[in-house]
Amino acid sequence: MAAGGRASGRPAKKKGPSKGTGGQGRRGLEGKGSTPPAEMRHWYKDKARTERIAREERGGRRPAPTRQRRSEDAPEFIGGRNPVLEALLAGVPANALYVAQRIDNDDRVRDSIKIAAERGIALLESSRDKLDRLTEGAVHQGIVLQIPAYDYAHPSELVELAQDAAEVPLVVALDGVTDPRNLGAIARSATAFGAHGLLIPSRRAAGVTGGAWKTSAGTLANLRVARAANLTAALREYRDAGLFVVGLDGESTTDIGDADLLTEPLVVVVGSEGKGLSRLVREQCDVLVRIPMQAAAESLNAGVAAGVALYEVARHRRR
């Protein structure tokens, strides 16, 4: 026998078929499904919070969510350490002061909390997510002031205020002014130069919002704002009550300083920077006047124009 070996005398045993896996191996190859979106992963909230805090420290803004229509009696919110402190110092009416949990205190936060406590304003600790929702994505730096919905006057009340004070009525009407900051700036000028109130349309116009309060530097607390469903009809009623309507129009040939109605009971109408006065409002004006300026400047924004016009009215009335 080859190699000197000795055979066992028994035939070689064949290997039989192995047992199957029952499909387990095949299922393992199928994967675990689609990758979950970021917001479903355990680390997402911490990462989003870190990015939001870093963005606020840089002073940046994130894209604001879709703005939903507010009801007329909904409160307004002012966010940011400087704006909140300025609003409290100016005496802006407020219902509550929201402060973020674990906020980094500085002098502005401490002063805001102190003033709110002295005025009896509710102090509420809140999450940053809630502050994001209240301010609709604006940078709030961990502190938000809630102010109540403004209680608008009736247009006739503005004339009654002047009569009660034994003064010649002076009302400022806004036609097409949609920026709350312009409304706030005009309120500041109106208070400075002795106007008895502002008249605004109820639709397609800026209202007394948090932005208007901030820009007015608190003067809205001392100046009444009336709202009219139809501005043209309200101006007509003012004319029937004995007031003259003067409209600011850059195309007029009459300078405001040359108008002879400024010492009379007056409504000064300010239009939007882009479109100016609307046709129907223009038709209700007794006179259209312009603010003389250099040709290089085509127009002034509504806030500046109102300030110049009201100064001129006050100057004529002091003569």
Side-chain angles (χ1 to χ4, degrees):
M1 177 175 270
R6 188 174 68 178
S8 64
R10 290 180 296 185
K13 186 176 179 181
K14 292 183 177 180
K15 186 177 181 180
S18 61
K19 293 183 180 181
T21 61
Q24 295 178 7
R26 186 169 61 251
R27 285 197 297 269
L29 296 174
E30 293 176 356
K32 298 182 180 180
S34 60
T35 302
E39 60 267 20
M40 294 182 63
R41 303 181 196 182
H42 65 87
W43 47 262
Y44 177 77
K45 288 186 177 180
D46 291 337
K47 180 174 181 293
R49 180 176 181 274
T50 301
E51 291 178 349
R52 180 177 63 247
I53 294 174
R55 185 171 55 248
E56 291 185 356
E57 290 176 349
R58 293 194 305 266
R61 289 179 177 269
R62 71 179 185 181
T66 303
R67 187 180 180 90
Q68 298 182 353
R69 184 178 179 86
R70 290 177 178 269
S71 62
E72 292 186 358
D73 57 351
E76 289 284 340
F77 297 93
I78 299 174
R81 301 188 181 193
N82 283 333
V84 167
L85 179 58
E86 290 170 1
L88 289 169
L89 289 172
V92 173
N95 293 334
L97 179 65
Y98 293 84
V99 181
Q101 299 164 346
R102 299 185 298 276
I103 189 174
D104 296 328
N105 279 337
D106 61 13
D107 290 341
R108 295 168 297 177
V109 174
R110 287 189 289 270
D111 289 345
S112 296
I113 293 174
K114 179 181 177 181
I115 296 172
E118 291 174 349
R119 291 178 51 187
I121 299 170
L123 296 173
L124 304 173
E125 189 177 45
S126 180
S127 67
R128 287 184 177 268
D129 287 339
K130 181 174 181 179
L131 299 184
D132 288 342
R133 292 194 299 272
L134 293 178
T135 58
E136 298 182 331
V139 175
H140 50 71
Q141 299 176 302
I143 188 166
V144 174
L145 186 68
Q146 178 186 357
I147 61 177
Y150 188 78
D151 181 20
Y152 292 97
H154 187 274
S156 62
E157 292 181 38
L158 305 184
V159 179
E160 293 171 1
L161 287 173
Q163 293 173 343
D164 292 343
E167 296 174 349
V168 179
L170 174 59
V171 176
V172 182
L174 309 185
D175 178 25
V177 175
T178 57
D179 190 340
R181 293 169 297 182
N182 271 334
L183 188 151
I186 293 170
R188 197 168 182 175
S189 295
T191 303
F193 297 117
H196 298 98
L198 302 183
L199 174 65
I200 62 174
S202 58
R203 295 183 300 171
R204 295 187 293 275
V208 182
T209 63
W213 273 110
K214 286 191 291 185
T215 313
S216 77
T219 54
L220 279 168
N222 302 308
L223 182 74
R224 295 294 287 141
V225 179
R227 194 157 60 172
N230 187 313
L231 181 60
T232 304
L235 293 176
R236 188 182 304 117
E237 291 176 1
Y238 277 146
R239 294 180 69 188
D240 293 341
L243 278 70
F244 294 95
V245 180
V246 174
L248 298 184
D249 183 5
E251 297 180 358
S252 173
T253 58
T254 303
D255 289 351
I256 186 170
D258 297 332
D260 56 1
L261 297 176
L262 302 187
T263 57
E264 302 294 331
L266 204 63
V267 181
V268 176
V269 188
V270 181
S272 66
E273 182 177 353
K275 298 180 180 179
L277 300 178
S278 64
R279 178 182 60 83
L280 294 177
V281 168
R282 187 189 301 265
E283 292 174 354
Q284 291 300 319
C285 294
D286 293 291
V287 63
L288 297 174
V289 298
R290 70 182 184 95
I291 296 172
M293 55 184 148
Q294 297 294 327
E298 294 182 358
S299 64
L300 301 172
N301 74 20
V304 174
V308 173
L310 290 171
Y311 166 77
E312 193 64 28
V313 173
R315 187 175 70 86
H316 275 70
R317 293 189 172 191
R318 285 197 301 268
R319 290 178 177 176

